[in-house]
Amino acid sequence: MIQSAIQQLISRLGFTSDVSGNLFVKTFAQHKNYKLEVDLVNRRIVYAEPVKVHDKTTSHFDAPENFVVLECVNRLLEKGYEPQHIELERRWSLGRTGKSGKADVTVMGRDGQSLIVIECKTAGSEYEKEKRNTTASGGQLFSYLQQDRNTRFLCLYASELRNAAVHYENAIVQIKDRPEVTELVRTDPDTVAYETAKTKEELHRAWKENFNCYFAPNGIFDEEAQAYNPEFKPIKRKDLRPFTPEEGRQLFNAFEEILRHNNISDRSNAFNRILSLILCKIVDERKQPNEETGFQVKEATDTPESIQERLQRLYQQGMQDYLKEEFTYISEEQVDEIVSRFPRQTAQREIREIVRKLKFYSNNEFAFKEVHNESLFNENAKVLNEILALLQYKQFRYQRTDAHQYKHQKRYLGDFFELLLDAGYKQTAGQFFTPLPVARFIVKSLPLREMMQEKLAAQRPNFLPYVIDYACGSGHFLTEVMEEIQHHIDQLPPTYSDDVNQNLTHWQKADWTGEFIYGIEKDYRLARTAKVACFMNGDGEANIIFGDGLEDYTRPVKGRNYKFAPQFDAVVANPPYSIQSFKTHLGLKNSQFSLYDSLTESASEIEVLFVERTAQLLREGGVAGVVLPSSILSNTGIYTRARELMLQRFELRAIVEFGSNTFMATGTNTVTLFLTRRNDRLADDFRAVADDFILKNQFRPDDFTDTEALLAAYASRHNLSVADYRSLLSKTPTEVLLQSDLWRDYDRWFADLTETKNRRDTKKAEGKAFAKLSPDEQQQELTRLFYERVLPREHDRFLYFCLTYQQPTLIVRLPADGAEEKRFLGYEFSRRRGDEGIKLYQDAQGRHQTTLYDEEELHHPDKLNTLVWQALSGRQPTIPDALRPHANVVDLADCLDVTRVEFEKQIGLATQTTNSALYWTFVKQGIPLTTLNDIKNAAKTW
């Protein structure tokens, strides 16, 4: 160190110079005027007796860390440690090599035994390097511990003069076995513990496996610590520290290491248990800054039972407050109240012991290991305490008022949670999780900003969109929606009415999700996961309902009143599918579905009910992005009924067909349907049109739309003029109609009907009666029956043609080639052991490389989400060249084959591309276009 820096440091420490200005002295009155001296001329630090200096190595100016030693000794003396109990450069022989090692500072207790061994390093890289070395192999400190097993504390110490103030940091290790480890040593000789360790390596292993290499940040030098009585002070909420870059993965790796060295192989159970702990942590962080946290290991006073007692109390509060679920927990106070009613002390002790065993010596929400007796309880307590120590100083809740911290904490904490999620849950039949990039794509495709703008234009104070995911799983959709809406909120200026500005200002700084965001999840573990995910993404007030997504929560369910919006602006979901015999377990209380009675008791098509539930939840004009199996577009039976409902209630704005590489552990192809909710009257109006035109053969003058043009467009699908088609409706077929495919198809279909065949089978009663009729009467009977059967089918086909005609739909089909599909998605799934999970494709700067969306620019012209957003917003999708092989805009009516007699409303995706620019021009001008040929013909005259 240069001399000016030395003078600044020692002056800040309280040293004063003599007349010459070369000798600086500090006197400690509380220690009988003991003096420390710094001689600038001879470049020496003088530690007078009774401080014991075994070696002069730390007494000169040559090494910068010698001034760290000086500052440390100064701090010890100020704290109250007496000079005669401080030793410098105490020497030991290290290991078999016979090499000596010298501890920078050793503090002896009043009993003459080694109390604290301190290794001093300069702040920054040297301190961090030794900290890593200690973690990896024990470093110098554990070598010293091996030489003097009486040592109670090891301390790595650094300090520096920064901004005219002395700042220090320390990393402390207490050499004391926890009670559960001490108990395990008696029953299991293989248990590693400080008391049984014989070498430095075994001591380090005891620290690593029992304390997960935990360094305490307090206990020796902090304000509350007392001299000669170092102990870890209980953590207060103000002591919690935010996550730092890369710490999410580091903590996850440390968690995995705890599981490994404790031989825990059930990762799914471990994830559920740490999720319970995180819920406790979230509840605990509601305390005031100066309150002690409950989520910690109080090394000096805690027992395994006392720790679990606090955790159970926190967990009960979390379940009640956040999931509205009762959790059975009997507090010590309740036990005392019950036991006190028994007069005999013996009976009281026996009852307490029985309750204690029932309470602790069985599996519970914190059982990483199977627990059914005291020994196993202690084994699990060892694991539990390691994990608590890993997380106890970390901050899991943070406020939006600090924009910088909010942004970065969300990312770092989210990384930790995503790693836990990937490792903890496996996909099962009918239930697979939406990869984060897919959830992000769907959310970024929704016109959320436009919804806000529409409400703001109407000066509505509650201008945010109401959003729900009725099968929210781990909460990916919800957290993405929260982030997207918050981004839009933060961009808005306070230029609206006073009521709007008041909410806007509030929501830019505080939670708003409690009013606008809703998630429902039937799986208790996942519901809890979603709630935790909301906290980890910055806003834990979102409404997570533990229940069935098909239930109607606008009314009380199971005696509970849930907060629930009457209608929603947006639905985002990836609901379950193919659940065998789901009806027998449904048990709905309030909901009613038109599709329900069409499902058999053994039916598995639960997804069709979620299609109807989407219609029930959305307001008119609301939008949805829903992931469904591809079979929803093509299968018959109940799927036909579902498509009928979908086409009646929604405009199908976009269909994105994902391949088998999209979701982990499933070969199922899926489609994401982007829908806009219609007014139900439209289907009724078109049904009335079909009644009049097809069944009654009536004209409709002055109609709500050009229904004559609709009829003409429909007739042209059968290559018929309106007049020829109307001859079918009037039951006076023209020669052109009789020669058409329409007539021939119906003629063959009618001839193959059972009731037609029965009339021609003289062995059957119908045939015998039919044979008695004259030839004219027979022809009249068949003609009557023909039109009775054909016209309702025509009514059905014409109705759905009306509902889909001139409805522009964006169709996207991902590449069929597996490698190309992965590049399009921007990720793949790794199944390599130890590296399982989703792997994003990133560039050198760490930016996600995907065709689905751009991380920085919401509506990037080359990204798929922009096309879907345009379609949902009523804009013409502008398809870039790179996406033309995969995306096109079609008239939805072209996707339905209305020429098939067996019209099942299948929606085909291999439809010829519409000339989208010209098509949108005509649509906007209200010009009816009947076929693709009409577009081409119109183009010639445009």
Side-chain angles (χ1 to χ4, degrees):
M1 290 178 66
I2 61 175
Q3 186 155 315
S4 60
I6 295 172
Q7 286 186 251
Q8 289 178 16
L9 172 64
I10 58 180
S11 296
R12 175 57 61 181
L13 294 179
F15 284 72
T16 56
S17 66
D18 63 2
V19 176
S20 68
N22 294 321
L23 182 66
F24 283 75
V25 180
K26 181 174 181 178
T27 302
F28 295 85
Q30 70 270 41
H31 297 305
K32 300 178 181 179
N33 294 323
Y34 176 78
K35 290 181 172 59
L36 287 177
E37 297 180 357
V38 178
D39 185 346
L40 298 182
V41 174
N42 296 304
R43 299 177 61 79
R44 291 188 306 117
I45 303 170
V46 179
Y47 299 96
E49 293 186 350
V51 169
K52 295 179 183 178
V53 181
H54 297 275
D55 190 297
K56 299 294 184 179
T57 304
T58 56
S59 298
H60 55 69
F61 286 14
D62 294 345
E65 73 178 38
N66 288 351
F67 289 94
V68 179
V69 174
L70 171 63
E71 191 279 326
C72 179
V73 172
N74 174 77
R75 194 176 294 274
L76 287 168
L77 292 169
E78 287 184 340
K79 175 58 67 175
Y81 289 96
E82 297 175 14
Q84 65 267 28
H85 295 139
I86 298 174
E87 299 186 19
L88 304 183
E89 300 297 318
R90 187 182 180 199
R91 186 185 300 273
W92 289 287
S93 174
L94 301 182
R96 298 173 184 148
T97 63
K99 293 182 179 180
S100 61
K102 296 178 290 184
D104 289 332
V105 181
T106 303
V107 180
M108 310 301 286
R110 289 194 173 101
D111 60 359
Q113 302 293 327
S114 174
L115 178 62
I116 310 169
V117 173
I118 304 173
E119 183 68 21
C120 294
K121 297 292 181 184
T122 54
S125 60
E126 287 300 315
Y127 175 80
E128 294 298 330
K129 179 181 177 182
E130 185 58 28
K131 193 174 180 181
R132 289 193 298 271
N133 188 32
T134 305
T135 300
S137 61
Q140 295 168 291
L141 285 171
F142 276 83
S143 295
Y144 304 149
L145 174 63
Q146 167 60 15
Q147 300 303 314
D148 191 339
R149 299 296 297 276
N150 293 312
T151 304
R152 287 176 51 198
F153 290 87
L154 304 176
C155 176
L156 184 61
Y157 185 91
S159 65
E160 62 178 334
L161 184 65
R162 186 172 70 249
N163 298 327
V166 177
H167 299 269
Y168 81 93
E169 59 183 323
N170 56 193
I172 303 169
V173 179
Q174 182 179 21
I175 309 304
K176 180 181 179 181
D177 290 312
R178 288 176 177 148
E180 67 274 13
V181 175
T182 302
E183 187 64 32
L184 286 172
V185 167
R186 297 171 185 164
T187 57
D188 182 3
D190 294 328
T191 299
V192 180
Y194 287 136
E195 69 174 86
T196 58
K198 296 180 173 58
T199 64
K200 170 194 171 183
E201 289 73 23
E202 289 181 358
L203 286 166
H204 176 258
R205 185 181 164 203
W207 179 52
K208 181 177 181 180
E209 294 196 5
N210 298 335
F211 297 90
N212 198 42
C213 297
Y214 171 66
F215 289 106
N218 65 32
I220 298 176
F221 297 103
D222 45 294
E223 185 178 348
E224 297 176 356
Q226 296 178 356
Y228 298 100
N229 188 29
E231 61 178 347
F232 296 160
K233 298 298 180 182
I235 302 167
K236 296 180 178 179
R237 191 178 69 78
K238 65 181 180 182
D239 299 325
L240 302 183
R241 300 190 299 267
F243 277 66
T244 58
E246 300 301 320
E247 194 168 20
R249 178 165 287 280
Q250 291 169 4
L251 285 175
F252 173 75
N253 290 340
F255 172 63
E256 287 275 276
E257 171 58 25
I258 291 172
L259 300 183
R260 187 199 64 77
H261 70 241
N262 284 290
N263 300 315
I264 297 172
S265 58
D266 189 346
R267 291 300 193 266
S268 179
N269 176 68
F271 175 77
N272 287 325
R273 302 314 175 197
I274 196 171
L275 203 66
S276 299
L277 289 176
I278 293 173
L279 185 61
C280 295
K281 187 85 167 69
I282 289 167
V283 174
D284 196 40
E285 290 184 19
R286 297 188 301 193
K287 292 179 176 175
Q288 296 300 311
N290 283 315
E291 286 187 271
E292 288 185 11
T293 63
F295 191 97
Q296 63 173 304
V297 180
K298 300 177 183 178
E299 298 289 354
T301 60
D302 260 337
T303 65
E305 289 86 354
S306 65
I307 292 171
Q308 197 150 131
E309 179 77 20
R310 291 198 304 272
L311 292 175
Q312 288 181 354
R313 191 188 299 269
L314 291 170
Y315 188 74
Q316 182 191 47
Q317 293 173 357
M319 291 297 290
Q320 288 177 344
D321 295 348
Y322 298 136
L323 291 175
K324 305 297 186 278
E325 285 294 310
E326 293 296 326
F327 174 74
T328 301
Y329 156 68
I330 302 174
S331 67
E332 288 298 301
E333 294 81 4
Q334 290 172 305
V335 173
D336 290 341
E337 181 183 352
I338 294 171
V339 169
S340 65
R341 300 172 188 172
F342 290 82
R344 293 173 51 239
Q345 291 294 319
T346 303
Q348 289 185 5
R349 285 195 300 271
E350 290 175 350
I351 293 171
R352 287 183 190 279
E353 184 62 18
I354 291 171
V355 172
R356 189 178 74 90
K357 289 180 178 179
L358 290 173
K359 189 173 181 178
F360 298 119
Y361 301 162
S362 59
N363 283 330
N364 53 52
E365 283 300 323
F366 314 107
F368 288 85
K369 285 189 167 187
E370 187 78 17
V371 175
H372 52 257
N373 58 42
E374 185 175 6
S375 176
L376 293 173
F377 171 76
N378 285 323
E379 286 186 24
N380 184 69
K382 175 178 175 294
V383 181
L384 182 60
N385 290 355
E386 289 183 51
I387 296 171
L388 286 177
L390 178 69
L391 302 177
Q392 61 188 3
Y393 271 100
K394 303 313 300 178
Q395 179 181 335
F396 278 68
R397 298 181 71 152
Y398 45 96
Q399 298 299 318
R400 207 175 272 117
T401 49
D402 184 342
H404 178 79
Q405 186 194 52
Y406 171 77
K407 177 181 177 182
H408 290 87
Q409 281 302 287
K410 180 180 183 300
R411 176 183 172 188
Y412 306 148
L413 192 55
D415 288 346
F416 173 61
F417 187 68
E418 284 300 316
L419 289 165
L420 287 175
L421 190 61
D422 287 344
Y425 277 137
K426 305 298 180 185
Q427 315 287 359
T428 57
Q431 178 191 69
F432 53 91
F433 301 111
T434 312
L436 192 56
V438 175
R440 187 165 294 161
F441 155 69
I442 293 173
V443 170
K444 287 181 178 291
S445 298
L446 302 180
L448 298 173
R449 181 177 60 187
E450 288 67 26
M451 289 179 172
M452 293 168 60
Q453 290 171 342
E454 181 182 346
K455 293 184 179 184
L456 285 168
Q459 293 293 321
R460 292 169 60 180
N462 283 358
F463 59 86
L464 300 183
Y466 287 86
V467 184
I468 187 169
D469 179 353
Y470 46 56
C472 67
S474 58
H476 273 161
F477 279 121
L478 298 180
T479 56
E480 289 302 310
V481 165
M482 288 158 53
E483 180 173 357
E484 199 63 45
I485 293 177
Q486 187 64 50
H487 174 73
H488 296 319
I489 292 173
D490 293 341
Q491 303 305 309
L492 291 172
T495 56
Y496 303 94
S497 68
D498 291 344
D499 289 344
V500 172
N501 287 340
Q502 183 178 354
N503 281 347
L504 172 59
T505 304
H506 177 70
W507 292 336
Q508 286 176 339
K509 298 178 180 179
D511 293 347
W512 48 266
T513 61
E515 175 64 26
F516 297 97
I517 302 297
Y518 295 78
I520 308 173
E521 177 51 53
K522 193 173 185 178
D523 185 310
Y524 147 71
R525 300 170 306 158
L526 286 172
R528 190 180 53 175
T529 303
K531 190 64 181 181
V532 170
C534 290
F535 276 105
M536 295 224 177
N537 282 271
D539 195 336
E541 299 304 317
N543 301 279
I544 305 298
I545 296 173
F546 170 40
D548 199 314
L550 296 172
E551 189 62 86
D552 179 5
Y553 292 96
T554 57
R555 292 180 286 175
V557 178
K558 298 180 181 178
R560 288 173 239 177
N561 287 305
Y562 293 98
K563 183 178 180 181
F564 204 72
Q567 281 193 310
F568 291 86
D569 297 290
V571 171
V572 282
N574 178 4
Y577 72 95
S578 298
I579 306 297
Q580 194 67 35
S581 302
F582 71 90
K583 282 184 72 174
T584 58
H585 307 290
L586 207 52
L588 300 178
K589 304 297 183 184
N590 295 331
S591 296
Q592 293 183 350
F593 294 91
S594 62
L595 297 177
Y596 185 84
D597 291 337
S598 299
L599 291 159
T600 65
E601 291 303 311
S602 61
S604 62
E605 303 91 343
I606 191 171
E607 59 268 29
V608 303
L609 295 184
F610 282 104
V611 172
E612 186 168 0
R613 185 66 181 134
T614 304
Q616 294 172 353
L617 290 167
L618 278 179
R619 65 165 175 85
E620 180 184 343
V623 299
V626 183
V627 181
L628 294 164
S630 297
S631 54
I632 196 73
L633 301 180
S634 57
N635 284 12
T636 57
I638 188 63
Y639 288 107
T640 300
R641 293 280 322 273
R643 286 191 293 275
E644 290 172 352
L645 183 144
M646 184 166 57
L647 295 173
Q648 290 177 35
R649 305 281 185 87
F650 298 102
E651 291 180 14
L652 189 44
R653 296 296 184 91
I655 303 172
V656 179
E657 183 180 44
F658 287 108
S660 58
N661 288 303
T662 306
F663 295 91
M664 183 170 63
T666 174
T668 301
N669 287 339
T670 64
V671 290
T672 299
L673 305 182
F674 292 94
L675 311 163
T676 299
R677 184 69 164 89
R678 280 176 159 163
N679 188 314
D680 289 341
R681 287 180 53 190
L682 184 64
D684 295 335
D685 289 343
F686 277 129
R687 187 172 286 104
V689 171
D691 288 346
D692 288 343
F693 277 171
I694 308 300
L695 300 182
K696 301 175 183 178
N697 192 27
Q698 294 178 350
F699 288 94
R700 293 175 59 92
D702 302 322
D703 218 338
F704 67 94
T705 189
D706 191 350
T707 51
E708 290 291 335
L710 279 173
L711 187 65
Y714 178 71
S716 72
R717 294 298 168 108
H718 300 289
N719 297 314
L720 292 171
S721 67
V722 174
D724 286 322
Y725 181 73
R726 277 192 176 278
S727 71
L728 171 66
L729 309 181
S730 63
K731 304 173 186 177
T732 56
T734 63
E735 187 60 31
V736 173
L737 177 63
L738 292 173
Q739 297 302 317
S740 69
D741 289 337
L742 172 66
W743 186 273
R744 290 169 179 166
D745 288 344
Y746 272 134
D747 190 50
R748 285 191 293 269
W749 170 78
F750 179 73
D752 200 44
L753 290 177
T754 300
E755 54 188 327
T756 305
K757 292 178 179 179
N758 287 346
R759 280 167 171 76
R760 290 177 173 150
D761 187 348
T762 56
K763 294 180 180 179
K764 295 185 179 294
E766 298 96 316
K768 292 175 182 179
F770 186 75
K772 293 178 181 179
L773 301 175
S774 68
D776 287 344
E777 290 173 330
Q778 289 181 351
Q779 185 58 47
Q780 290 174 5
E781 170 68 12
L782 290 174
T783 299
R784 179 193 62 78
L785 186 62
F786 177 84
Y787 286 108
E788 283 182 359
R789 298 296 177 264
V790 167
L791 292 181
R793 287 182 173 271
E794 278 302 289
H795 178 281
D796 192 48
R797 299 202 296 193
F798 180 63
L799 169 61
Y800 288 96
F801 178 79
C802 291
L803 287 167
T804 57
Y805 181 58
Q806 291 190 345
Q807 183 184 138
T809 301
L810 173 71
I811 293 181
V812 181
R813 308 184 77 183
L814 266 64
D817 178 74
E820 191 178 351
E821 180 192 0
K822 292 174 183 177
R823 284 193 296 272
F824 192 102
L825 292 168
Y827 65 86
E828 62 181 278
F829 290 104
S830 169
R831 292 175 174 81
R832 185 165 61 88
R833 187 171 182 181
D835 194 34
E836 297 90 349
I838 191 170
K839 305 300 173 187
L840 299 184
Y841 294 173
Q842 297 176 320
D843 63 14
Q845 288 72 42
R847 293 188 295 261
H848 186 199
Q849 299 299 290
T850 175
T851 310
L852 298 178
Y853 57 85
D854 184 85
E855 288 187 317
E856 301 298 329
E857 185 178 349
L858 177 59
H859 296 141
H860 192 289
D862 295 332
K863 300 302 180 179
L864 182 57
N865 77 293
T866 301
L867 300 187
V868 178
W869 166 75
Q870 290 170 337
L872 280 172
S873 302
R875 295 171 170 85
Q876 174 188 340
T878 305
I879 303 175
D881 291 340
L883 285 175
R884 288 191 180 279
H886 313 294
N888 63 336
V889 177
V890 301
D891 181 350
L892 184 58
D894 291 337
C895 299
L896 274 67
D897 187 358
V898 294
T899 66
R900 295 184 62 179
V901 176
E902 299 292 347
F903 180 51
E904 300 286 354
K905 294 89 176 175
Q906 285 106 330
I907 300 173
L909 301 184
T911 305
Q912 184 179 352
T913 304
T914 298
N915 185 332
S916 59
L918 185 60
Y919 176 82
W920 276 83
T921 301
F922 281 108
V923 168
K924 288 181 178 179
Q925 295 189 23
I927 301 174
L929 301 174
T930 56
T931 65
L932 293 174
N933 287 328
D934 291 331
I935 295 178
K936 296 173 184 175
N937 293 333
K940 295 175 183 177
T941 60
W942 183 252

